[in-house]
Structure formats: C-alpha cells, structure tokens
C-alpha cells in the first residue's frame, strides 16, 4: 500500500466510518501527514490539501461539542472572509485547551480526577461544552458531579485545586470553584484531631475514607495540632486569603489560632510574592482584625504586623488603624517592642513619634482602663524615657511631649521620670 492510498484510506474511514474508530484514525493520519519522510517525498500541495481536509474534520468534531466554536464556525460558513480564532484569555492556556480537545476527540469521555476537574470545568464553561450535547456528553455536568465528592479529597489534592483556581481567576466559574475548595479546606481544619484532613482520600468521589500516604500527609514534628496547616496555606493570594479568614471566623475556628496564622503569613519568608500583592495582604489583615475577640490578640503579634506594615508601601490609613489597636493594648507591651528604629536617623535614634501616637491611642481608651492598666503604661513610658534620654539627636520638644503625654495621676511615683529628665538635661 503506497502512501497516497494509505492517506486516502485513513480519510475515508475517518469521515465515514464508525464513530468509535474516527478519533484513532484522525490521530494516525495526523502523525502520518507530519512524517518528515512523507513531507519530503510527496508534493507539498497534496499534503496541504490533505491537511485542510483533516482540519475541516477536526473542526466539525470540536464544534459538535462546543457551542461557542459552533457559532464561530457557523459565521465562517456564511461569510466569504477567512475567520481567525484567537483565545487570548483561554483559562489555563494551551494545556487546558488540549484537555478540552481530548474530551471532544474521545467522543465526550475523559478521566476526571481532582488534578484536572477544576481545569476541565472552567474550559467547559468557557467553550460552552454541553449546551448542544446530550446530558451524558455535557462536560460541565460531569465535572460538577465529580466535585460533589470534594469532601473525600486528600489535603494535597485540595491544595492543588486551590492553586489552579487562583491561577485561573478571573476565568468563567473559577470564583465558584474557589469558594467550594476554600470552604472544604476550612471545614477540614475544624475537624477533631482524630479526623484530620490527612485521613481522607479521594477515589473518583468515592464515599470511602482511606489513609493518605503522601509525604505531605504526615504531621510535621515541629508543628502543633493547631498550626500544622500554616505553611501549606502560604500559597493564598490576597483575594483567597481574605475569603479564608472570613470563613474561619464564620466556622468558629479559634480566633487566637487565626490571628497567629495572619502574623505567620506576614512574617513568612517562604513564599516570595510581588510587593503589591504583599501590601494588599497586609491591608486585608489589618482590616480583618476587627472580626476577632480582643482577648485573642497579642500585643507581640500586633507589633509584628506593624513592623511588616512599616516595610511596605502601605496606606497611612491602615497604619494608623493598626496603631490605634496596639495603643488600646499598650499595657500589655514591653519596652523592647517600643524601641523601634526611627525612619529618619538624622532626627533621633528611635521612632518617638510612633510611641507618642500609641500613647495617645491609649488615652482615647482611658475611660475603659483600670487603675492597674494605667500604672503599667506609666511605668512603660518611664522606662522608654530613660532609654531615649541619652539620645543627643532627640529634640527638646519631642522629649517634652513624651514626658507630658500621660497625666500625672497615671503615675504612683515620679522618681523614674525625674531620672530620665536629669539624664536628658546632662546630654543636652
């Protein structure tokens, strides 16, 4: 059998044979046409003609499943102009398009797994696959039915789906998928220790639970039962981060644990993100603090967030908001937290303006404070005055502002205050 007859034989069966053989024959013909030996030995015009016939057949296969392509190719049939189709924003790029095409070439069948269900679902909605097919061949319905078993996926499978959802945004339906994945992730965190996410496994939406043997499924020795997931969720972008925190609060996860995760996220150096993204996460974190019980917040953690915020190009609004919160808890602070280097070293060593703002924020909450809290803040401010008094760059007006920021009634004794004043006068 010569090459020409072989090529014609393939085309005949591909175009008129039984459907279950068509896709195999098309693959064979495609490889045959692109054989270097074949192209070299036969007339290029003949090869081009055969390729156009093949493309026409492939076009019919795709358009029979995709309503979007059907409309585009329909426009081509009714127009004398050539139609060039470019999907610049196809969700997931060429890899996902290949998955979608494989579904079409396999007569509406493809193995759906946790690793590809998100990609296939977005492709199905984008290409409108199923709107002109039977229910059996509706890729959107198939993927959504598979997603009903998401509660039985492993933790690592959920994380992979999360990354895919974030990469696909703002693709069609990706926001819905993201909500579904995040809800399952957060729900897994609320399970008792004996029913941790590491005990669940997926088997095409099977209802059976089994052990996940992957390396990520063992408890990390250096992590407690409540914080093992911190490092895994560093992959969250700003949008997903906010959604997760709100879900955690609504699902009654311990506020102190959520707060520790926020601090960990902002201090982490494991995930490198763009400065603008990190700035957004910091702003989101500060806004979300209002959702927590005040008792679940630690002054140490708030200072860590403040230091992270100072290193980023964050709006003054968010910085002042955080400073007000820290100021209302100033009685829980320690001296080393207040010794923040000044952003302008030519004026003074430490950031005196920051401490003044914190003290004024405490004064605004003064009516709610006990005598003991007032005493702690006064002692803290006296210790700070003693520490900054030797700074010869500190201007008298700033030192005087520190001395007078608290009322005299806040102090039980003024001995340490006078000690700081005496030191400052000697330096000046």
């Amino acid at each position: 059998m010569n090459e020409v007859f072989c090529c014609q034989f393939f085309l005949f069966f591909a175009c008129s044979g039984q459907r279950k053989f068509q896709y195999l024959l098309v693959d064979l013909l495609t490889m045959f046409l692109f054989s270097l030996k074949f192209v070299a030995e036969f007339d290029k015009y003949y090869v081009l003609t055969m390729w156009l016939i093949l493309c026409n057949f492939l076009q019919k296969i795709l358009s029979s499943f995709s309503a979007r392509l059907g409309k585009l190719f329909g426009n081509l049939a009714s127009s004398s102009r050539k139609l060039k189709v470019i999907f610049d924003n196809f969700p997931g790029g060429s890899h996902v398009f290949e998955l979608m095409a494989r579904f079409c070439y396999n007569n509406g069948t493809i193995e759906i797994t946790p690793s590809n269900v998100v990609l296939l679902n977005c492709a199905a909605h984008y290409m409108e696959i199923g709107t002109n097919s039977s229910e059996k061949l509706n890729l959107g319905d198939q993927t959504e039915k598979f997603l009903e078993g998401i509660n039985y996926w492993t933790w690592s499978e959920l994380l992979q789906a999360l990354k895919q959802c974030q990469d696909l945004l703002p693709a069609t339906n990706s926001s819905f998928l993201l909500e579904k994945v995040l809800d399952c992730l957060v729900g897994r965190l609320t399970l008792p220790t004996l029913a941790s996410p590491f005990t669940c496994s997926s088997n095409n939406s099977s209802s059976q639970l089994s052990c996940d043997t992957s390396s990520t499924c063992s408890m990390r020795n250096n992590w407690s039962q409540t914080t093992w997931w911190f490092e895994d969720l560093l992959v969250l972008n700003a949008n997903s981060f906010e959604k997760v925190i709100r879900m955690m609060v609504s699902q009654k996860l311990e506020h102190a644990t959520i707060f520790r995760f926020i601090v960990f996220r902002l201090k982490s150096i494991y995930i490198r993100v763009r400065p603008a993204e990190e700035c957004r996460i910091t702003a989101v974190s500060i806004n979300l603090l209002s959702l927590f019980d005040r008792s679940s917040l630690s002054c140490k953690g708030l200072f860590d967030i403040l230091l992270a915020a100072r290193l980023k190009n964050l709006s003054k609004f968010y910085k002042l908001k955080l400073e007000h919160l820290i100021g209302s808890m100033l009685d829980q602070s320690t001296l080393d937290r207040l010794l923040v280097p000044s952003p302008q070293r030519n004026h003074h060593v430490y950031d005196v303006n920051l401490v003044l703002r914190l003290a004024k924020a405490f004064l605004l909450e003064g009516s709610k404070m006990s005598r003991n809290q007032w005493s702690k803040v006064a002692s803290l401010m006296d210790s700070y005055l003693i520490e900054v008094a030797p700074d010869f760059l500190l201007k008298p007006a700033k030192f005087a502002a520190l001395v007078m920021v608290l009322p005299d009634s806040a102090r039980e004794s003024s001995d340490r205050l006078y000690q700081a004043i005496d030191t400052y006068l000697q330096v000046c």
Side-chain angles (χ1 to χ4, degrees):
M1 182 185 299
N2 63 37
E3 285 86 347
V4 174
F5 178 76
C6 180
C7 190
Q8 292 172 338
F9 175 80
F10 279 156
L11 275 179
F12 173 77
F13 277 96
C15 298
S16 60
Q18 294 186 28
R19 194 169 181 84
K20 63 181 180 181
F21 297 119
Q22 290 176 339
Y23 306 102
L24 175 61
L25 290 170
V26 168
D27 287 340
L28 291 173
L29 179 58
T30 303
M31 290 187 291
F32 192 56
L33 282 173
F34 281 99
S35 166
L36 292 176
K37 180 180 179 182
F38 178 79
V39 173
E41 293 180 358
F42 286 88
D43 182 72
K44 293 182 179 179
Y45 177 78
Y46 182 79
V47 174
L48 178 60
T49 302
M50 300 299 287
W51 175 242
L52 290 174
I53 296 173
L54 175 61
C55 288
N56 182 60
F57 179 71
L58 297 179
Q59 169 185 311
K60 291 180 179 178
I61 293 178
L62 293 174
S63 60
S64 67
F65 285 93
S66 170
R68 184 166 188 169
L69 285 177
K71 297 171 189 174
L72 290 172
F73 293 144
N75 293 335
L76 177 62
S78 61
S79 173
S80 59
R81 295 185 302 105
K82 292 183 178 181
L83 179 65
K84 185 177 182 180
V85 180
I86 299 176
F87 294 122
D88 290 327
N89 58 344
F90 191 90
S94 59
H95 169 63
V96 183
F97 186 87
E98 181 183 346
L99 286 177
M100 181 274 298
R102 190 178 303 167
F103 169 83
C104 299
Y105 295 154
N106 287 336
N107 198 22
T109 60
I110 191 171
E111 182 184 5
I112 301 176
T113 66
S115 63
N116 68 16
V117 64
V118 170
L119 305 176
L120 288 172
N121 184 274
C122 286
H125 282 82
Y126 185 86
M127 299 301 293
E128 301 175 26
I129 297 178
T131 57
N132 57 354
S133 304
S134 66
E135 182 178 350
K136 180 181 178 181
L137 304 181
N138 191 318
L139 182 58
D141 287 349
Q142 289 185 44
T143 53
E144 287 173 12
K145 184 176 181 180
F146 186 89
L147 285 166
E148 292 175 1
I150 193 172
N151 290 328
Y152 304 105
W153 293 10
T154 64
W155 179 257
S156 57
E157 288 169 345
L158 288 172
L159 288 177
Q160 183 181 12
L162 167 61
K163 294 173 185 176
Q164 291 174 348
C165 288
Q166 291 186 151
D167 292 340
L168 290 170
L169 282 171
T172 305
N173 212 44
S174 56
S175 181
F176 162 76
L177 295 172
L178 178 63
E179 294 273 356
K180 196 172 185 68
V181 172
L182 292 180
D183 185 66
C184 190
L185 276 169
V186 174
R188 198 70 59 87
L189 298 179
T190 62
L191 294 174
T193 304
L194 294 178
S196 70
F198 298 116
T199 63
C200 299
S201 179
S202 65
N203 184 18
N204 289 339
S205 301
S206 168
S207 60
Q208 300 295 322
L209 295 180
S210 61
C211 180
D212 179 3
T213 58
S214 64
S215 61
T216 59
C217 296
S218 60
M219 284 291 189
R220 298 174 176 82
N221 293 331
N222 296 330
W223 293 86
S224 72
Q225 295 288 339
T226 58
T227 60
W228 56 265
W229 47 271
F230 281 15
E231 189 172 346
D232 287 337
L233 294 191
L234 288 176
V235 299
L236 294 168
N237 60 27
N239 179 56
S240 301
F241 181 78
E242 181 173 11
K243 290 179 183 293
V244 161
I245 298 301
R246 292 187 181 278
M247 286 180 178
M248 288 177 178
V249 173
S250 65
Q251 295 195 31
K252 310 298 182 184
L253 197 66
E254 186 182 24
H255 285 192
T257 301
I258 306 174
F259 176 68
R260 289 174 63 191
F261 170 61
I262 290 177
V263 176
F264 178 83
R265 175 66 187 86
L266 294 178
K267 292 175 62 178
S268 174
I269 60 173
Y270 300 121
I271 298 297
R272 301 292 184 183
V273 297
R274 291 172 298 177
E277 181 75 3
E278 193 65 27
C279 191
R280 281 190 59 207
I281 292 178
T282 305
V284 166
S285 300
I286 294 172
N287 268 340
L288 292 171
L289 294 178
S290 60
L291 301 176
F292 303 150
D293 296 331
R294 185 66 63 88
S295 60
S296 66
L297 305 179
S298 71
C299 198
K300 175 181 180 299
L302 291 174
F303 267 104
D304 287 336
I305 297 176
L306 179 63
L307 291 178
R310 283 167 59 89
L311 299 176
K312 299 172 179 62
N313 188 24
L314 194 65
S315 166
K316 187 177 180 181
F317 168 80
Y318 294 107
K319 292 180 181 179
L320 292 177
K321 189 174 183 178
L322 181 59
E323 288 174 5
H324 180 81
L325 183 57
I326 295 174
S328 67
M329 302 173 63
L330 194 57
D331 58 297
Q332 300 177 29
S333 181
T334 56
L335 176 61
D336 60 308
R337 297 289 167 192
L338 298 184
L339 297 177
V340 178
S342 173
Q344 297 175 322
R345 288 298 185 92
N346 58 328
H347 291 171
H348 32 76
V349 176
Y350 297 111
D351 194 345
V352 175
N353 292 325
L354 170 63
V355 175
L356 283 171
R357 291 194 298 270
L358 296 179
K360 290 175 181 178
F362 178 82
L363 289 174
L364 293 176
E365 302 286 330
S367 60
K368 304 176 184 177
M369 302 299 176
S370 65
R371 177 63 188 173
N372 184 52
Q373 289 173 304
W374 274 101
S375 179
K376 287 182 178 180
V377 172
S379 177
L380 179 64
M381 290 301 297
D382 288 347
S383 297
Y384 185 77
L385 280 164
I386 291 174
E387 192 68 31
V388 301
D391 182 8
F392 65 91
L393 294 175
L394 184 60
K395 294 181 179 180
K398 289 295 181 183
F399 185 80
L402 286 171
V403 170
M404 297 184 293
V405 68
L406 294 180
D408 293 337
S409 58
R411 294 181 173 84
E412 297 179 357
S413 170
S414 300
D415 292 347
R416 299 177 70 230
L417 175 62
Y418 293 146
Q419 177 187 345
I421 294 173
D422 183 59
T423 301
Y424 182 76
L425 291 176
Q426 291 180 32
V427 170
C428 290

